[in-house]
Amino acid sequence: MLLLTVGALSVAFASPVMAVESDDAPEPAPVSEDAPEPSGLEPAVPIPDEGATEAVPDWTYRYLIPTGLALTVVVVLITSIQYFTNVVRKRYRIVEE
């Protein structure tokens, strides 16, 4: 438990330090505001502008996460049934008259 606590604290304190930018980084090149003038040429094959394409979620997001959630529900149900059958049942005795 102590090792887990020390590890969590070290990660919590190290994260902001790693996010700080260093002074050695080169400066980005300035962006030119002079755009080239159109030459009047047209492309041989026009490329249609598709606009914003819909992002498809990764297979891990689509399959692995729902499978993990379903597996978690099954494990919780089986654990609660086992607890009832092993612990609660032993607390009470059937007394015959």
Side-chain angles (χ1 to χ4, degrees):
M1 188 65 155
L2 179 64
L3 185 61
L4 181 65
T5 305
V6 169
L9 287 175
S10 65
V11 168
F13 288 124
S15 297
V17 173
M18 296 173 90
V20 175
E21 292 183 16
S22 66
D23 295 333
D24 300 337
E27 294 183 17
V31 177
S32 174
E33 294 182 11
D34 298 329
E37 295 183 21
S39 61
L41 298 175
E42 294 181 16
V45 178
I47 301 173
D49 187 21
E50 295 179 5
T53 58
E54 186 176 329
V56 178
D58 294 335
W59 70 271
T60 54
Y61 185 76
R62 293 178 63 199
Y63 300 111
L64 199 57
I65 292 175
T67 304
L69 291 174
L71 186 61
T72 303
V73 168
V74 168
V75 167
V76 167
L77 286 174
I78 290 174
T79 304
S80 62
I81 290 170
Q82 276 187 329
Y83 176 78
F84 178 76
T85 57
N86 293 338
V87 176
V88 176
R89 183 191 278 176
K90 292 179 183 177
R91 290 184 186 166
Y92 304 103
R93 269 190 229 165
I94 299 175
V95 179
E96 294 183 22
E97 294 181 30

